[in-house]
Amino acid sequence: MSPTQEFVKVAAVQAAPVAFDLPKSLAKVAYFTAEAAKSGADLVVFPEGFLSAYPWRYAFDATIGAREPRGRQWFAKYYDAAVAIPSPDFDSLARTARENHVFLSLGIIEKEGGTLYCTAILIDRDGTLLYRHRKLIPTAAERLVWGRGSGDGLIVADTEIGKVGGLICWENYMPAARLALYQKGIEIYIAPNADDLPSWIATMQHIAKEGRCFVINSNQFCKVSDFPLNYPPFAAPNPSDRKADGTAWTADDVLSHGGSCVVGPLGIFLAEPVWDREVVVYAELRMGELTEAKMDFDPVGSYSRPDVFQLRVDISPGTGVTFDD
């Protein structure tokens, strides 16, 4: 399917959830989606782990060789604030997309069985789930908390606004994963993340220019006050974590500075990065730029060498047990 719109308006939400509180975080999704829809957005993008927390500074009291009761209790709270698919909570998201007639991309903490996954979902204007992508490999201490995704989540959805897909945070540093999406013809590349370093912005520009696609970078603007008062890393009087200078965290301390932006297929900003405030970043994508950009570079066409390099992608589900009749 070719895009049926000459222009596509996108919105990258830079905000924080009400951490560990799923109903209140769902309400924030509904609010920001409605605001973006009023501004004419076709696609609304939320950051990594928006439902219902990126657990800043906390590995749930897990250390090598030991786990603590408090950490298990907080993991249970995190699990309770996660989203199952299907579920009434997912139905709420589908309703939000449908009522606002938008494509809705959201970073969620997904629960299945006893495992949590860092997942990105895309919902159609009519509330249909177009894809569910689980982060292939969580980064650093995230691996203590989230399971790993599999190749069946490397999906690019062919929609009326273009071919839409993406990767989560540092998955974007996996060249093979990017190449798989390029081969699927990705046109609108969504990158929900939790990285507010300046070097990350360079990554977003690189991917846009390398993939000859539009890139939507969505990160949280998040403060200590977005977490419960008794959240262990910041809880007074004995927080389990301190700042680099050795002092205790305060409610106004910033955990993620944002940097959400939109980049065109030549690596040029369509919406510059925004820092240190809650905001919805808008950009209008002129879809004709996709073809123009490939005049001199196509990563899986004119600028590929399949006679030299080949990539095999296993798209089977990551199910550990099968039953044969």
Side-chain angles (χ1 to χ4, degrees):
M1 181 189 300
S2 298
T4 60
Q5 300 177 206
E6 183 180 358
F7 295 93
V8 173
K9 188 168 185 178
V10 300
V13 176
Q14 181 166 288
V18 182
F20 291 82
D21 191 323
L22 182 55
K24 289 182 179 179
S25 297
L26 284 167
K28 292 192 79 168
V29 171
Y31 169 77
F32 281 110
T33 302
E35 288 298 301
K38 289 176 187 175
S39 296
D42 297 292
L43 169 64
V44 184
V45 178
F46 284 82
E48 178 181 15
F50 199 83
L51 298 178
S52 292
Y54 184 86
W56 284 102
R57 315 291 299 192
Y58 194 39
F60 296 88
D61 295 318
T63 56
I64 295 176
R67 267 73 62 196
E68 303 298 334
R70 182 182 68 171
R72 295 186 186 278
Q73 293 161 10
W74 274 96
F75 180 83
K77 294 177 188 287
Y78 197 40
Y79 186 93
D80 290 342
V83 178
I85 301 174
S87 68
D89 300 314
F90 176 79
D91 292 342
S92 174
L93 296 172
R95 184 166 57 252
T96 294
R98 186 168 56 249
E99 290 178 350
N100 291 283
H101 194 58
V102 296
F103 289 87
L104 180 58
S105 172
L106 198 76
I108 68 170
I109 305 305
E110 179 197 0
K111 58 186 175 186
E112 183 177 55
T115 299
L116 297 177
Y117 299 91
C118 182
T119 299
I121 59 174
L122 179 66
I123 302 173
D124 203 341
R125 295 187 195 270
D126 63 2
T128 302
L129 179 65
L130 295 177
Y131 67 66
R132 167 176 54 183
H133 168 72
R134 292 172 173 171
K135 198 172 190 176
L136 287 169
I137 178 69
T139 302
E142 294 173 357
R143 297 171 197 168
L144 296 169
V145 184
W146 302 331
R148 300 195 299 178
S150 53
D152 63 339
L154 289 170
I155 297 171
V156 173
D158 197 356
T159 77
E160 67 187 63
I161 62 171
K163 295 179 180 179
V164 185
L167 297 171
I168 303 168
C169 206
W170 276 23
E171 282 187 307
N172 288 284
Y173 290 123
M174 301 173 71
R178 297 199 309 270
L179 184 58
L181 297 186
Y182 301 158
Q183 184 64 53
K184 287 175 174 281
I186 192 166
E187 296 171 329
I188 300 176
Y189 187 120
I190 299 171
N193 67 91
D195 190 335
D196 62 355
L197 298 176
S199 57
W200 177 258
I201 302 302
T203 297
M204 296 293 92
Q205 291 183 279
H206 171 89
I207 290 173
K209 189 169 183 177
E210 175 185 71
R212 288 316 205 238
C213 53
F214 296 102
V215 172
I216 305 170
N217 174 51
S218 179
N219 189 11
Q220 295 185 24
F221 171 61
C222 182
K223 297 163 62 173
V224 168
S225 57
D226 293 310
F227 283 79
L229 291 174
N230 61 339
Y231 183 60
F234 314 133
N238 296 306
S240 63
D241 184 76
R242 289 184 176 271
K243 293 186 285 186
D245 62 4
T247 61
W249 295 90
T250 66
D252 288 332
D253 282 329
V254 176
L255 299 168
S256 176
H257 294 269
S260 299
C261 59
V262 182
V263 190
L266 291 178
I268 299 169
F269 288 118
L270 303 180
E272 296 270 350
V274 180
W275 305 98
D276 290 318
R277 63 188 173 99
E278 184 177 275
V279 66
V280 181
V281 177
Y282 294 99
E284 192 166 66
L285 316 184
R286 184 174 66 84
M287 303 308 287
E289 288 186 45
L290 294 164
T291 302
E292 294 167 12
K294 289 181 178 176
M295 182 187 80
D296 53 358
F297 186 89
D298 180 355
V300 292
S302 62
Y303 230 90
S304 66
R305 284 293 304 275
D307 56 320
V308 179
F309 305 107
Q310 294 184 4
L311 172 66
R312 178 181 176 273
V313 182
D314 184 351
I315 59 171
S316 59
T319 303
V321 178
T322 58
F323 296 92
D324 294 327
D325 186 355

